[in-house]
Amino acid sequence: MRASITRPPTPDGDDGAEGAPVSDMEPTLQEKINIKLVESGEKEKLKELLRERLIECGWKDEMKALCRAYARQKGRNNVTVDDLIHVITPKGRASVPDSIKAELLQRIQTFLVAAAL
């Protein structure tokens, strides 16, 4: 079947992966872990722990200062939230302390062992 240049092909419920319909596909390991974390309430606990640790180490204040400096540089009326997200996100992710990442990873691993995943 040839695809039209002016419109995309009509989906037929098949993603092409070994002929299995999308609805019959097994969730990935990452999806299973996320489901377990959400169902158990552990994901919210981890998010709260992350918030606390980032505030304690001054990361939140550092990101706020970066946002303010960017807004001053571009002019307050010329900056959108999307601009801030685009500029600050890479810096923010790169500046999370390794100790916090390690602590969260350890908590996730402990949860997975206890959940037998």
Side-chain angles (χ1 to χ4, degrees), residues 31-75:
E31 291 168 338
K32 288 179 183 179
I33 291 170
N34 191 47
I35 290 167
K36 286 283 189 188
L37 286 168
V38 171
E39 287 177 349
S40 69
E42 188 66 17
K43 187 169 185 175
E44 272 306 312
K45 292 176 189 172
L46 290 169
K47 285 166 63 173
E48 186 56 36
L49 175 66
L50 178 60
R51 278 186 206 103
E52 290 172 11
R53 295 295 187 263
L54 291 175
I55 290 169
E56 287 171 5
C57 75
W59 180 92
K60 183 178 176 184
D61 293 332
E62 184 182 330
M63 292 303 104
K64 194 184 296 186
L66 284 173
C67 288
R68 286 186 174 146
Y70 182 78
R72 271 193 296 273
Q73 176 188 358
K74 294 292 182 181

